[in-house]
Amino acid sequence: MTKAVDAILANYAYETPGVIANLRRLLEHGTLAGTGKLVILPVDQGFEHGPARSFAPNPEGYDPAYHPSLAMEAGCNAYAAPLGFIEAVASEYAGRLPLILKVNNSDSLGGPEQPHSALTSSVQDALRLGCSAIGFTIYPGSEHRNEMNEELRELILEARDVGLPTVVWSYPRGGELSKDGETALDVVAYAAHIACQLGAHIVKVKPPTAHIEQEAAKKSYKDVKADTLADRIAHVVKACFNGKRIVIFSGGVAKGTEEVLEELRQIAKGGGFGTIMGRNSFQRSRKDGAAILKEAMKIFGEAK
Amino acid sequence: MTKAVDAILANYAYETPGVIANLRRLLEHGTLAGTGKLVILPVDQGFEHGPARSFAPNPEGYDPAYHPSLAMEAGCNAYAAPLGFIEAVASEYAGRLPLILKVNNSDSLGGPEQPHSALTSSVQDALRLGCSAIGFTIYPGSEHRNEMNEELRELILEARDVGLPTVVWSYPRGGELSKDGETALDVVAYAAHIACQLGAHIVKVKPPTAHIEQEAAKKSYKDVKADTLADRIAHVVKACFNGKRIVIFSGGVAKGTEEVLEELRQIAKGGGFGTIMGRNSFQRSRKDGAAILKEAMKIFGEAK
Amino acid sequence: MTKAVDAILANYAYETPGVIANLRRLLEHGTLAGTGKLVILPVDQGFEHGPARSFAPNPEGYDPAYHPSLAMEAGCNAYAAPLGFIEAVASEYAGRLPLILKVNNSDSLGGPEQPHSALTSSVQDALRLGCSAIGFTIYPGSEHRNEMNEELRELILEARDVGLPTVVWSYPRGGELSKDGETALDVVAYAAHIACQLGAHIVKVKPPTAHIEQEAAKKSYKDVKADTLADRIAHVVKACFNGKRIVIFSGGVAKGTEEVLEELRQIAKGGGFGTIMGRNSFQRSRKDGAAILKEAMKIFGEAK
Amino acid sequence: MTKAVDAILANYAYETPGVIANLRRLLEHGTLAGTGKLVILPVDQGFEHGPARSFAPNPEGYDPAYHPSLAMEAGCNAYAAPLGFIEAVASEYAGRLPLILKVNNSDSLGGPEQPHSALTSSVQDALRLGCSAIGFTIYPGSEHRNEMNEELRELILEARDVGLPTVVWSYPRGGELSKDGETALDVVAYAAHIACQLGAHIVKVKPPTAHIEQEAAKKSYKDVKADTLADRIAHVVKACFNGKRIVIFSGGVAKGTEEVLEELRQIAKGGGFGTIMGRNSFQRSRKDGAAILKEAMKIFGEAK
Amino acid sequence: MTKAVDAILANYAYETPGVIANLRRLLEHGTLAGTGKLVILPVDQGFEHGPARSFAPNPEGYDPAYHPSLAMEAGCNAYAAPLGFIEAVASEYAGRLPLILKVNNSDSLGGPEQPHSALTSSVQDALRLGCSAIGFTIYPGSEHRNEMNEELRELILEARDVGLPTVVWSYPRGGELSKDGETALDVVAYAAHIACQLGAHIVKVKPPTAHIEQEAAKKSYKDVKADTLADRIAHVVKACFNGKRIVIFSGGVAKGTEEVLEELRQIAKGGGFGTIMGRNSFQRSRKDGAAILKEAMKIFGEAK
């Protein structure tokens, strides 16, 4: 137990020791153990975008055993996936590698304009499979956001009751949000804040752009420093209860290595708690995938 | 226990001692303890309007610890907030400062024309976090009002069973109400009355203007004194069971100090039970925020 | 226990003694005790039309204590109101004056074209507050009538289980009904019959006009005597299982005293079981309100 | 509503209006209505001692219709009996005469040394049958007292939830109590106090003798006035929360009229709230039974 | 909030904020607020020993209103009593004075050799009555201890779920324990430790004598300092998780004032967290009772 982890967990003093224990497992595993930083490998793209779009670039990824093995080799803090992928590996990995069961998922076969993920697994599954947390996606802005918020409210209560923390993927989308608005600084900060207010233990958002989407918010952003990504990350961290909730950032669509690493440097510089890197790792060869994950850990390990 | 508090609680004689105990905690805390008046600090704007619009004017407010500390310093009767903000401070403040858990919330990312807040926390959370009441928003006039009324009915029953009173934010909005109609005297009085009829223990509405929105109501208002805000407040108090239910008033959007204080003087003069003052306090510097809250207490403390 | 009450209760032989006991309480209370006739004071206008439209004509009515006191003074059989008004007086009046909890209510802030009342309280509330019956409004003709009928079905089952009878306000409205159609003889008789078929123990409708709304019904009404209101009341009584269900009539909008009394004489003459008189009593001064209620009792007391 | 009843009900301010309503029904019925005194007719002897021992002296009593008719004629506040007797009369009497459903009973076919009554009916039965209270017997001193106390705890909770008060017959018996000890002053006062502490709304005990049973209590009784029955009654009333719980006394075995009346005069003089008189009334002829009940009412009506 | 209270509550970090809030209410009320010390007034002797043995010495105590009024006047941290006594005062005192509902009780009408208290109220009662904690007695040594331990286990779980801490009265009795053994140092320390291990938040035991009851324990006590009561108290505090659980001491049977005060000085000197003083206060006149409670507070207030 390091001071960094101590300081973070102190912000969750309202929680039961069971929930704290699992947060601790995430923070005390892998290369970044004890630093208070996290690099998580998520593989829900098979469900979200279809198998070929996900795994054709590196066909090893069709095999569910590939991903936790990659996560272990690279030294990730945790591995997150939908039910089927977790079931396929739990016997071998639960207890060795923190597992996060993604309990709702959305497919892209005729996606609705107003997105709403389906509940695809349960808290009971997470216990049965030895997971350390559940994961849940909300789409702030969607016309279905009330239903999603209420599902999340029930799940957090249920998960806490059995000692599991909840990781919330908060993706603004739908309603009257423009495409650019989905990653606008005001909107990302807002989406992160909502997740924290709903009781998320860890929030995952996309790195924000400098765009401000909401007319009513423009005035408030006049004095918010937002020139560099690091500045914007710092603002999102502030929106997460002044840094008292763990917020991590995804990389989004696959891109060049240097581009990814520069983004991570900015996230680290801005005080982000880490990254959840999927396509940028498992769609490369095993060697390259492990390498970029390790680079990410190096960046966050050196932060602060 | 003062006569003022005794007299108010006698109007809730139908309630269990547990509900009475928590109403008493609200009335017997802070500078106004025992006067029968209340100044409450609410901070749900982060959820409702987004973090920057709420906290950029005074960035200390990003930190959830700021607000209950301000409430304590200023001598407020209670602090109200959504789940995340309450969780962040409950271990330190529950049992020292009455906490009101706001159990539904609405965001403004693409607000719907017919507003309907999401259930974001539960009675069980309120108990777990040591709160003294739950808070709930209804939007009379909205096409979704039936669903909201029914959610409220269930929550009041559930909360009573465990000794918790319910504070209702009653904001007319939606349907065929004009923008002006949302604060019209007839509409505000009506919205306050509906909340009382639904079983609210404390009602919170906006200060009404002299506008009368409903054609059918105009005749009834011919002889209702409505020239000053104090007159109009007195009418709303009358609509709350002739003053037998606690009704408090918000200040709405931030404005100049003298403007705020004059409004409070009118509220006090009209017999309002107090104010729930958010943006006008936490968006100022700590010194100025505490000062204006204390001014509010002075005004209500001297009333009657 | 009089023969008149005996004869009425014999029509409810299928009911449990608990439901019978509460019907008996309604029939054996007040000035008309034992006559088989009822005069009930209902005060749900605050919720339905707003406080000023309801109580400005006689501001004493803003106080929830006014109404049961008026009902007692005048000798009414029962007092009916929404949750808030009943809670405010139950400690003092339950067990002394039969109380009817109106468990659904509709406001007129932007009323929908297809009316549907919200559930605003519950059978559990009725027991907790010592009520003798629940009241429920259906809008036959509304596009939402199926939902209302189904809500009513559930409530009647639940209420019977705990010994409470159900009073149904049956107001044709919505759908393709014309404004005149809402009080047409065929429509009122139909609405009363539907309430009986749904299991209502007491039905409340408006006095019907001679208008026939439904084309398909016109032939059937050729030989129905409908010249006087008494004739038309007799037809509605017949529609209520040939007089085997208690049906009472409201007076609707406030009007002149003689007009009201003449209407009541016709209702009594036609075999109506009584009246539920709200605005025509509580919107007058206390003296006049009590006087008109007593006149009503005199009329029904002398009937048959 | 008289001041006497007001004063008594004020001691039950912690209760719901529903429970208060039914206590009020007991206190506001019959000849003693409004005096704050009660004469109740109980007929559970058929179950407790067998039909012939109960009804052979006056064979009209075999018929369950006899007893409520006697209670009505005499002007009793209520009639108490086991399930079967209540079912046999509820359709006719519920709502006219307050009924108390005795929900546990003990037979004397081979009575156990350590008495424990069987649960013979339920709160749901009481609602179904339109009763105003449930009745329950405990045997303080019995080795089975813990089970009885726990059954009572559950029943009081369940009954309160539906607005029913609980009358507790508290009969010390079993354990190491001597036969004389069952009516000893210390033991009767103790048994009454236990019933109050368990949450009984009305307690029924036997008139105590001057005997002190418990060695450990003798010192405490040195200064307790106990010469006359009135003195001893006063002590038992004091043991019932200083007179803040209703305590009534039975007459026990049948005896001569003057003996019964003298006992009642002492009970009234000592501040007892009334009597529950079974065998001394229903085992006489109807004329004599009604007469002695009326004498009892006269005595309590003139008390204080 | 003082450092003393902070330091104590830090030992309960595993608890929910709701349980912490109620512990804080106990520690932050009355004269000793903020000192980390407690003086509690318990009045369950009416149930445990009978009303005359409890209240004859000071007949004011027959009235349930006497005790919380005494507790308030004297400045106690809390008042503990069985259901009936709490119900009788909850409307007036809940929310003003921390109330502890004693949920099991034992009478002494023919006490069994193997003691086992009956469950006499519930967690639901505690919420309904606005209590801050529940109280429960175990009799370590009794042959029924397993049942009691299991009842306690269920109650602690249930109470925590709604934010209530549990105070455990731990009285060794029964089995093969000698009368002297019930207060033997080894036995008292053992009983206190068992309560802590069962999850008690506050433990209440009797001041131990220097006697060592268990043969097997004698060797272990050779080097335990036990000459003065302060020494022995220090040992019991150590047995309560090295002082990390709150342990308070009763005075037992009534005795002389100086004797009581000297005992309290020893308890304070030994590090006891306070006293729960019943008979030594409420069996004196009001003036003397309040005086001795205030003396107790003075002693604990000056400790450390």
Side-chain angles (χ1 to χ4, degrees), chain D residues 14 145-146 150 153 157 160 190 193 197 220-221 241-242 244, chain E residues 47-48 50 52-53 63 84-85 87 107-108 116 119 121 128:
Chain D
Y14 65 97
R145 65 189 182 277
N146 280 14
E150 292 174 15
R153 161 188 181 255
L157 273 176
R160 166 183 296 115
Y190 199 164
H193 185 80
Q197 290 285 21
S220 308
Y221 276 91
F241 294 7
N242 205 28
K244 289 184 172 173
Chain E
F47 200 121
E48 306 273 331
R53 285 175 65 194
D63 193 326
F85 258 28
E87 286 184 332
D107 65 76
S108 46
H116 184 181
L119 288 168
S121 57
R128 173 176 66 88

mmCIF file of all heavy atoms in Angstrom, chain D residues 14 145-146 150 153 157 160 190 193 197 220-221 241-242 244, chain E residues 47-48 50 52-53 63 84-85 87 107-108 116 119 121 128:
data_model
loop_
_atom_site.group_PDB
_atom_site.id
_atom_site.type_symbol
_atom_site.label_atom_id
_atom_site.label_comp_id
_atom_site.label_asym_id
_atom_site.label_seq_id
_atom_site.Cartn_x
_atom_site.Cartn_y
_atom_site.Cartn_z
ATOM 1 N N TYR D 14 -47.594 8.829 19.242
ATOM 2 C CA TYR D 14 -46.619 8.192 18.362
ATOM 3 C C TYR D 14 -47.295 7.319 17.303
ATOM 4 O O TYR D 14 -46.633 6.796 16.423
ATOM 5 C CB TYR D 14 -45.654 7.324 19.187
ATOM 6 C CG TYR D 14 -46.352 6.154 19.846
ATOM 7 C CD1 TYR D 14 -46.347 4.886 19.270
ATOM 8 C CD2 TYR D 14 -47.060 6.331 21.025
ATOM 9 C CE1 TYR D 14 -47.017 3.834 19.861
ATOM 10 C CE2 TYR D 14 -47.727 5.273 21.625
ATOM 11 C CZ TYR D 14 -47.703 4.037 21.043
ATOM 12 O OH TYR D 14 -48.382 2.999 21.628
ATOM 13 N N ARG D 145 -42.699 -17.696 27.668
ATOM 14 C CA ARG D 145 -43.027 -16.274 27.497
ATOM 15 C C ARG D 145 -42.240 -15.609 26.381
ATOM 16 O O ARG D 145 -42.735 -14.696 25.726
ATOM 17 C CB ARG D 145 -42.856 -15.524 28.812
ATOM 18 C CG ARG D 145 -41.443 -15.462 29.342
ATOM 19 C CD ARG D 145 -41.511 -14.887 30.728
ATOM 20 N NE ARG D 145 -40.242 -14.702 31.392
ATOM 21 C CZ ARG D 145 -39.570 -15.642 32.044
ATOM 22 N NH1 ARG D 145 -40.016 -16.888 32.097
ATOM 23 N NH2 ARG D 145 -38.440 -15.338 32.653
ATOM 24 N N ASN D 146 -41.001 -16.041 26.157
ATOM 25 C CA ASN D 146 -40.232 -15.401 25.086
ATOM 26 C C ASN D 146 -40.897 -15.592 23.721
ATOM 27 O O ASN D 146 -41.002 -14.653 22.936
ATOM 28 C CB ASN D 146 -38.805 -15.961 25.032
ATOM 29 C CG ASN D 146 -37.922 -15.333 26.089
ATOM 30 O OD1 ASN D 146 -38.423 -14.685 27.005
ATOM 31 N ND2 ASN D 146 -36.615 -15.542 25.985
ATOM 32 N N GLU D 150 -42.452 -12.591 21.442
ATOM 33 C CA GLU D 150 -41.981 -12.371 20.072
ATOM 34 C C GLU D 150 -43.128 -12.450 19.068
ATOM 35 O O GLU D 150 -43.166 -11.706 18.084
ATOM 36 C CB GLU D 150 -40.849 -13.345 19.752
ATOM 37 C CG GLU D 150 -39.624 -12.986 20.601
ATOM 38 C CD GLU D 150 -38.460 -13.959 20.507
ATOM 39 O OE1 GLU D 150 -38.436 -14.799 19.585
ATOM 40 O OE2 GLU D 150 -37.555 -13.866 21.366
ATOM 41 N N ARG D 153 -44.802 -9.109 19.408
ATOM 42 C CA ARG D 153 -44.001 -8.068 18.729
ATOM 43 C C ARG D 153 -44.304 -8.054 17.228
ATOM 44 O O ARG D 153 -44.508 -6.995 16.632
ATOM 45 C CB ARG D 153 -42.523 -8.389 18.988
ATOM 46 C CG ARG D 153 -41.509 -7.776 18.070
ATOM 47 C CD ARG D 153 -40.141 -8.402 18.400
ATOM 48 N NE ARG D 153 -39.038 -7.905 17.616
ATOM 49 C CZ ARG D 153 -38.464 -8.597 16.621
ATOM 50 N NH1 ARG D 153 -38.909 -9.786 16.270
ATOM 51 N NH2 ARG D 153 -37.426 -8.070 15.979
ATOM 52 N N LEU D 157 -46.594 -4.963 15.166
ATOM 53 C CA LEU D 157 -46.040 -4.298 13.969
ATOM 54 C C LEU D 157 -46.980 -4.443 12.779
ATOM 55 O O LEU D 157 -47.252 -3.492 12.048
ATOM 56 C CB LEU D 157 -44.695 -4.929 13.579
ATOM 57 C CG LEU D 157 -43.440 -4.388 14.241
ATOM 58 C CD1 LEU D 157 -42.237 -5.207 13.808
ATOM 59 C CD2 LEU D 157 -43.223 -2.923 13.877
ATOM 60 N N ARG D 160 -50.332 -2.503 13.346
ATOM 61 C CA ARG D 160 -50.165 -1.050 13.224
ATOM 62 C C ARG D 160 -50.133 -0.648 11.747
ATOM 63 O O ARG D 160 -50.723 0.362 11.365
ATOM 64 C CB ARG D 160 -48.863 -0.611 13.889
ATOM 65 C CG ARG D 160 -48.473 0.825 13.494
ATOM 66 C CD ARG D 160 -47.169 1.233 14.075
ATOM 67 N NE ARG D 160 -47.265 1.251 15.520
ATOM 68 C CZ ARG D 160 -46.589 0.452 16.317
ATOM 69 N NH1 ARG D 160 -45.754 -0.440 15.809
ATOM 70 N NH2 ARG D 160 -46.742 0.540 17.611
ATOM 71 N N TYR D 190 -46.562 -6.025 37.530
ATOM 72 C CA TYR D 190 -45.431 -6.362 36.653
ATOM 73 C C TYR D 190 -45.953 -6.822 35.283
ATOM 74 O O TYR D 190 -45.493 -6.372 34.215
ATOM 75 C CB TYR D 190 -44.614 -7.461 37.317
ATOM 76 C CG TYR D 190 -43.190 -7.641 36.814
ATOM 77 C CD1 TYR D 190 -42.266 -8.377 37.558
ATOM 78 C CD2 TYR D 190 -42.760 -7.101 35.605
ATOM 79 C CE1 TYR D 190 -40.958 -8.557 37.132
ATOM 80 C CE2 TYR D 190 -41.450 -7.276 35.165
ATOM 81 C CZ TYR D 190 -40.567 -8.006 35.921
ATOM 82 O OH TYR D 190 -39.270 -8.189 35.490
ATOM 83 N N HIS D 193 -47.205 -3.942 33.347
ATOM 84 C CA HIS D 193 -46.086 -3.115 32.861
ATOM 85 C C HIS D 193 -45.409 -3.761 31.653
ATOM 86 O O HIS D 193 -45.078 -3.084 30.669
ATOM 87 C CB HIS D 193 -45.083 -2.923 34.006
ATOM 88 C CG HIS D 193 -43.960 -1.989 33.671
ATOM 89 N ND1 HIS D 193 -44.085 -0.627 33.705
ATOM 90 C CD2 HIS D 193 -42.673 -2.219 33.258
ATOM 91 C CE1 HIS D 193 -42.946 -0.051 33.355
ATOM 92 N NE2 HIS D 193 -42.067 -1.008 33.076
ATOM 93 N N GLN D 197 -44.779 -2.203 27.956
ATOM 94 C CA GLN D 197 -43.441 -2.095 27.358
ATOM 95 C C GLN D 197 -43.378 -2.803 26.012
ATOM 96 O O GLN D 197 -42.582 -2.439 25.144
ATOM 97 C CB GLN D 197 -42.367 -2.682 28.298
ATOM 98 C CG GLN D 197 -42.115 -1.859 29.560
ATOM 99 C CD GLN D 197 -41.302 -0.575 29.309
ATOM 100 O OE1 GLN D 197 -41.239 -0.072 28.196
ATOM 101 N NE2 GLN D 197 -40.722 -0.035 30.377
ATOM 102 N N SER D 220 -39.799 -3.216 48.200
ATOM 103 C CA SER D 220 -40.330 -2.105 47.403
ATOM 104 C C SER D 220 -41.793 -1.835 47.709
ATOM 105 O O SER D 220 -42.295 -0.744 47.463
ATOM 106 C CB SER D 220 -40.190 -2.399 45.909
ATOM 107 O OG SER D 220 -38.873 -2.751 45.603
ATOM 108 N N TYR D 221 -42.477 -2.824 48.231
ATOM 109 C CA TYR D 221 -43.914 -2.655 48.471
ATOM 110 C C TYR D 221 -44.218 -2.163 49.870
ATOM 111 O O TYR D 221 -45.382 -1.962 50.199
ATOM 112 C CB TYR D 221 -44.675 -3.948 48.152
ATOM 113 C CG TYR D 221 -44.990 -4.022 46.667
ATOM 114 C CD1 TYR D 221 -44.125 -4.638 45.778
ATOM 115 C CD2 TYR D 221 -46.142 -3.407 46.165
ATOM 116 C CE1 TYR D 221 -44.383 -4.666 44.430
ATOM 117 C CE2 TYR D 221 -46.417 -3.428 44.807
ATOM 118 C CZ TYR D 221 -45.536 -4.057 43.940
ATOM 119 O OH TYR D 221 -45.814 -4.067 42.606
ATOM 120 N N PHE D 241 -47.446 2.962 32.953
ATOM 121 C CA PHE D 241 -46.906 4.232 32.489
ATOM 122 C C PHE D 241 -47.617 5.419 33.157
ATOM 123 O O PHE D 241 -47.985 6.389 32.495
ATOM 124 C CB PHE D 241 -46.987 4.344 30.970
ATOM 125 C CG PHE D 241 -46.115 3.354 30.220
ATOM 126 C CD1 PHE D 241 -45.426 2.339 30.894
ATOM 127 C CD2 PHE D 241 -45.984 3.424 28.833
ATOM 128 C CE1 PHE D 241 -44.615 1.432 30.192
ATOM 129 C CE2 PHE D 241 -45.179 2.538 28.138
ATOM 130 C CZ PHE D 241 -44.489 1.535 28.818
ATOM 131 N N ASN D 242 -47.805 5.297 34.458
ATOM 132 C CA ASN D 242 -48.420 6.388 35.225
ATOM 133 C C ASN D 242 -49.795 6.770 34.667
ATOM 134 O O ASN D 242 -50.156 7.946 34.640
ATOM 135 C CB ASN D 242 -47.486 7.603 35.224
ATOM 136 C CG ASN D 242 -47.728 8.491 36.436
ATOM 137 O OD1 ASN D 242 -48.154 8.012 37.489
ATOM 138 N ND2 ASN D 242 -47.474 9.774 36.289
ATOM 139 N N LYS D 244 -50.787 6.336 31.562
ATOM 140 C CA LYS D 244 -50.756 6.773 30.165
ATOM 141 C C LYS D 244 -51.095 5.653 29.182
ATOM 142 O O LYS D 244 -51.097 5.870 27.970
ATOM 143 C CB LYS D 244 -49.389 7.385 29.842
ATOM 144 C CG LYS D 244 -49.206 8.749 30.524
ATOM 145 C CD LYS D 244 -47.897 9.412 30.147
ATOM 146 C CE LYS D 244 -47.860 10.851 30.710
ATOM 147 N NZ LYS D 244 -46.535 11.473 30.521
ATOM 148 N N PHE E 47 -39.041 -3.415 33.013
ATOM 149 C CA PHE E 47 -39.237 -4.710 32.362
ATOM 150 C C PHE E 47 -38.421 -5.788 33.071
ATOM 151 O O PHE E 47 -38.910 -6.893 33.309
ATOM 152 C CB PHE E 47 -38.819 -4.615 30.890
ATOM 153 C CG PHE E 47 -39.403 -5.683 30.010
ATOM 154 C CD1 PHE E 47 -40.203 -5.353 28.915
ATOM 155 C CD2 PHE E 47 -39.173 -7.034 30.255
ATOM 156 C CE1 PHE E 47 -40.767 -6.326 28.102
ATOM 157 C CE2 PHE E 47 -39.729 -8.020 29.430
ATOM 158 C CZ PHE E 47 -40.514 -7.665 28.359
ATOM 159 N N GLU E 48 -37.205 -5.467 33.435
ATOM 160 C CA GLU E 48 -36.290 -6.490 33.941
ATOM 161 C C GLU E 48 -36.583 -6.889 35.390
ATOM 162 O O GLU E 48 -36.460 -8.054 35.745
ATOM 163 C CB GLU E 48 -34.835 -6.005 33.815
ATOM 164 C CG GLU E 48 -34.445 -5.547 32.399
ATOM 165 C CD GLU E 48 -33.959 -6.670 31.496
ATOM 166 O OE1 GLU E 48 -33.403 -7.653 32.019
ATOM 167 O OE2 GLU E 48 -34.149 -6.568 30.261
ATOM 168 N N GLY E 50 -39.426 -5.353 37.290
ATOM 169 C CA GLY E 50 -40.787 -5.002 37.694
ATOM 170 C C GLY E 50 -40.889 -3.535 38.065
ATOM 171 O O GLY E 50 -39.898 -2.917 38.492
ATOM 172 N N ALA E 52 -42.493 -1.766 40.555
ATOM 173 C CA ALA E 52 -42.339 -1.263 41.926
ATOM 174 C C ALA E 52 -40.882 -1.308 42.360
ATOM 175 O O ALA E 52 -40.358 -0.353 42.941
ATOM 176 C CB ALA E 52 -43.213 -2.058 42.887
ATOM 177 N N ARG E 53 -40.190 -2.417 42.062
ATOM 178 C CA ARG E 53 -38.774 -2.503 42.424
ATOM 179 C C ARG E 53 -37.976 -1.398 41.738
ATOM 180 O O ARG E 53 -36.934 -0.972 42.223
ATOM 181 C CB ARG E 53 -38.197 -3.863 42.049
ATOM 182 C CG ARG E 53 -38.620 -4.988 42.987
ATOM 183 C CD ARG E 53 -38.130 -6.336 42.518
ATOM 184 N NE ARG E 53 -36.680 -6.438 42.534
ATOM 185 C CZ ARG E 53 -36.000 -7.398 41.922
ATOM 186 N NH1 ARG E 53 -36.651 -8.337 41.233
ATOM 187 N NH2 ARG E 53 -34.685 -7.426 41.972
ATOM 188 N N ASP E 63 -43.659 7.447 35.405
ATOM 189 C CA ASP E 63 -44.074 8.182 34.211
ATOM 190 C C ASP E 63 -42.966 8.138 33.154
ATOM 191 O O ASP E 63 -41.846 8.582 33.404
ATOM 192 C CB ASP E 63 -44.361 9.639 34.597
ATOM 193 C CG ASP E 63 -45.093 10.379 33.490
ATOM 194 O OD1 ASP E 63 -44.839 10.103 32.302
ATOM 195 O OD2 ASP E 63 -45.936 11.225 33.831
ATOM 196 N N GLY E 84 -42.000 0.241 24.810
ATOM 197 C CA GLY E 84 -43.120 1.027 25.334
ATOM 198 C C GLY E 84 -42.684 2.385 25.868
ATOM 199 O O GLY E 84 -43.325 3.405 25.599
ATOM 200 N N PHE E 85 -41.600 2.397 26.604
ATOM 201 C CA PHE E 85 -41.096 3.660 27.167
ATOM 202 C C PHE E 85 -40.622 4.604 26.046
ATOM 203 O O PHE E 85 -40.781 5.819 26.155
ATOM 204 C CB PHE E 85 -39.969 3.373 28.167
ATOM 205 C CG PHE E 85 -40.407 3.455 29.621
ATOM 206 C CD1 PHE E 85 -41.724 3.191 29.975
ATOM 207 C CD2 PHE E 85 -39.524 3.790 30.642
ATOM 208 C CE1 PHE E 85 -42.140 3.269 31.317
ATOM 209 C CE2 PHE E 85 -39.925 3.876 31.973
ATOM 210 C CZ PHE E 85 -41.234 3.619 32.305
ATOM 211 N N GLU E 87 -41.748 4.575 22.832
ATOM 212 C CA GLU E 87 -42.940 5.046 22.121
ATOM 213 C C GLU E 87 -43.603 6.207 22.855
ATOM 214 O O GLU E 87 -44.083 7.160 22.247
ATOM 215 C CB GLU E 87 -43.959 3.903 21.977
ATOM 216 C CG GLU E 87 -43.570 2.868 20.945
ATOM 217 C CD GLU E 87 -44.636 1.793 20.758
ATOM 218 O OE1 GLU E 87 -45.386 1.507 21.715
ATOM 219 O OE2 GLU E 87 -44.701 1.212 19.671
ATOM 220 N N ASP E 107 -37.674 -10.619 31.719
ATOM 221 C CA ASP E 107 -38.329 -10.267 32.974
ATOM 222 C C ASP E 107 -37.834 -11.186 34.085
ATOM 223 O O ASP E 107 -37.158 -12.185 33.825
ATOM 224 C CB ASP E 107 -39.852 -10.354 32.827
ATOM 225 C CG ASP E 107 -40.311 -11.763 32.571
ATOM 226 O OD1 ASP E 107 -40.336 -12.579 33.512
ATOM 227 O OD2 ASP E 107 -40.642 -12.068 31.405
ATOM 228 N N SER E 108 -38.147 -10.872 35.315
ATOM 229 C CA SER E 108 -37.695 -11.727 36.421
ATOM 230 C C SER E 108 -38.854 -12.417 37.136
ATOM 231 O O SER E 108 -38.775 -12.695 38.330
ATOM 232 C CB SER E 108 -36.825 -10.924 37.394
ATOM 233 O OG SER E 108 -37.409 -9.686 37.702
ATOM 234 N N HIS E 116 -32.200 -15.931 28.764
ATOM 235 C CA HIS E 116 -32.342 -15.661 27.330
ATOM 236 C C HIS E 116 -33.436 -14.598 27.196
ATOM 237 O O HIS E 116 -34.591 -14.870 27.491
ATOM 238 C CB HIS E 116 -32.751 -16.941 26.601
ATOM 239 C CG HIS E 116 -32.818 -16.756 25.105
ATOM 240 N ND1 HIS E 116 -33.177 -17.758 24.243
ATOM 241 C CD2 HIS E 116 -32.559 -15.679 24.326
ATOM 242 C CE1 HIS E 116 -33.158 -17.309 22.992
ATOM 243 N NE2 HIS E 116 -32.781 -16.050 23.015
ATOM 244 N N LEU E 119 -37.005 -11.147 22.172
ATOM 245 C CA LEU E 119 -37.013 -10.030 21.224
ATOM 246 C C LEU E 119 -38.313 -9.275 21.440
ATOM 247 O O LEU E 119 -39.398 -9.833 21.304
ATOM 248 C CB LEU E 119 -36.935 -10.535 19.784
ATOM 249 C CG LEU E 119 -35.571 -11.096 19.400
ATOM 250 C CD1 LEU E 119 -35.653 -11.845 18.088
ATOM 251 C CD2 LEU E 119 -34.563 -9.953 19.299
ATOM 252 N N SER E 121 -38.730 -5.779 20.373
ATOM 253 C CA SER E 121 -38.994 -4.759 19.352
ATOM 254 C C SER E 121 -38.016 -4.982 18.211
ATOM 255 O O SER E 121 -37.241 -5.937 18.233
ATOM 256 C CB SER E 121 -38.895 -3.340 19.932
ATOM 257 O OG SER E 121 -37.637 -3.112 20.511
ATOM 258 N N ARG E 128 -38.882 3.880 12.883
ATOM 259 C CA ARG E 128 -40.177 4.519 13.039
ATOM 260 C C ARG E 128 -40.170 5.525 14.188
ATOM 261 O O ARG E 128 -40.882 6.524 14.155
ATOM 262 C CB ARG E 128 -41.220 3.429 13.315
ATOM 263 C CG ARG E 128 -42.596 3.888 13.669
ATOM 264 C CD ARG E 128 -43.546 2.701 13.807
ATOM 265 N NE ARG E 128 -43.253 1.815 14.903
ATOM 266 C CZ ARG E 128 -43.714 1.944 16.155
ATOM 267 N NH1 ARG E 128 -44.503 2.944 16.459
ATOM 268 N NH2 ARG E 128 -43.404 1.073 17.088
#
